[in-house]
Amino acid sequence: MGQYQRIVILTGAGVSAESGIATFRDAGGLWENHDPMEIATPEAFARDPGLVYRFYNARREQLRNVDANPGHRAIARLQREFAGEVFLVTQNVDDLHERGGSEQVCHMHGELRAALCLHCGARHRTESSFDHATPCPDCAVSGGLRPDIVWFGEMPYHMQEIDVHLARCDLFISVGTSGQVYPAAGFVREALAAGADTIEINKDTSGVSTWFHQQRQGPSGELLPRLVE
Ligand code: BV8
């Protein structure tokens, strides 16, 4: 890695899968007989808020029973020890990168541990379940708290910051993502346009594998520590 100055790492559900968290597509695609892709939408929240609150409360609850894995810890070590710059952007909404030791984590799809009040706009950290009846800790109004998660059809967070890092990186590493969801799936092309080398780590191939100079196939929990050592 010594030949690089500025690394961007993109992670997806495959990195958390090593901690036992089901990915979007490997989980047999159903949760309570619903397609997660159908639940992670503003329309689903408007149509059946209880289902959407239950979906995120269950996933937030699951965080109590899992821990960061060697893949998360390898990324955190690289961020600490690499002489140049490492920018970590994740599609994952769990807090496993933070629990693996990463201090800089760009959550482009939001976070399970955050709630957004639609009445006053305040964002709150929360490890507990909440729903329509839960009053906002700031404005005390109930009925306005939603998961602070970027749903399909909503603009991902921090896009300007991400684009700046992609435009100047010399190495782009994508780990554990199926390359099906945009704009994240298009980041490799931005990195290539910047002249960066590109490496994909995945247990299979992805929708964008052909855009990578290197494809390393296998579990991220094994391949990331090898990449970083
Ligand atoms: C937007 C939060 C614009 C929710 C998520 C048609 C064409 C192109 C694009 C679109 C289109 N129609 C609609 C769109 C846009 C849409 C999109 O891309 N849809 C797809 C489905 C076609 N995108 C959006 O809507 C985005 N917003 O475009 O906004 C805009 C512009 C202006 C103004 C307003 C709006 C917003 C997308 C964000 C949605 N929210 N997450 C939640 O978590 O509940 S996305 C969701 O999918 C998760 O974040 C997940 O991380 C992400 C992507 O999935 P992956 O992480 O890749 O996970 P997946 O299960 O798919 O794959 C796992 C991979 O890991 C696999 O490859 C597997 O092989 C690998 N793996 C498994 N185990 C391991 C492993 N690898 C290594 N080791 C292992 N052990």
Side-chain angles (χ1 to χ4, degrees):
M1 303 285 244
Q3 69 272 43
Y4 299 109
Q5 297 294 319
R6 288 175 302 284
I7 303 175
V8 171
I9 303 176
L10 168 69
T11 61
V15 173
S16 298
E18 296 278 290
S19 293
I21 294 188
T23 66
F24 269 69
R25 287 160 188 82
D26 294 355
L30 291 182
W31 182 84
E32 285 193 7
N33 294 324
H34 294 271
D35 173 356
M37 313 283 268
E38 298 298 318
I39 301 182
T41 67
E43 294 74 18
F45 188 60
R47 190 176 53 247
D48 185 351
L51 173 72
V52 177
Y53 280 121
R54 262 200 325 279
F55 179 57
Y56 288 100
N57 287 340
R59 289 169 66 191
R60 193 174 305 106
E61 197 51 37
Q62 183 189 27
L63 288 184
R64 298 175 199 273
N65 317 316
V66 296
D67 206 345
N69 65 64
H72 294 110
R73 287 192 286 276
I75 290 173
R77 192 165 69 245
L78 183 69
Q79 288 178 293
R80 276 194 310 276
E81 296 168 4
F82 182 66
E85 214 181 275
V86 180
F87 179 75
L88 172 61
V89 49
T90 185
Q91 299 173 89
N92 301 335
V93 293
D94 58 56
D95 62 342
L96 292 177
H97 279 300
E98 289 85 347
R99 285 157 58 190
S102 285
E103 282 168 24
Q104 180 273 316
V105 186
C106 176
H107 282 279
M108 65 179 290
H109 289 164
E111 295 181 66
L112 279 174
R113 296 177 307 166
L116 172 64
C117 178
L118 297 174
H119 286 293
C120 69
R123 280 186 162 78
H124 311 284
R125 277 257 164 266
T126 176
E127 317 279 339
S128 332
S129 295
F130 63 89
D131 60 21
H132 250 313
T134 310
C136 165
D138 272 53
C139 67
V141 175
S142 306
L145 284 186
R146 66 161 272 184
D148 190 12
I149 297 272
V150 177
W151 285 328
F152 288 97
E154 295 184 323
M155 192 61 174
Y157 289 145
H158 314 300
M159 284 310 297
Q160 211 165 0
E161 181 188 14
I162 295 166
D163 289 339
V164 165
H165 283 280
L166 289 169
R168 53 199 294 270
C169 74
D170 51 11
L171 177 61
F172 177 73
I173 306 171
S174 172
V175 196
T177 177
S178 61
Q180 312 272 339
V181 174
Y182 286 80
F187 288 174
V188 59
R189 267 172 268 180
E190 292 182 56
L192 283 170
D197 289 342
T198 55
I199 300 175
E200 181 181 61
I201 292 177
N202 196 306
K203 75 174 168 65
D204 302 317
T205 52
S206 78
V208 288
S209 293
T210 49
W211 293 89
F212 288 86
H213 296 113
Q214 267 188 58
Q215 226 270 334
R216 299 185 186 188
Q217 213 148 355
S220 53
E222 279 171 37
L223 295 188
L224 275 167
R226 271 193 237 151
L227 181 81
V228 171
E229 68 199 7

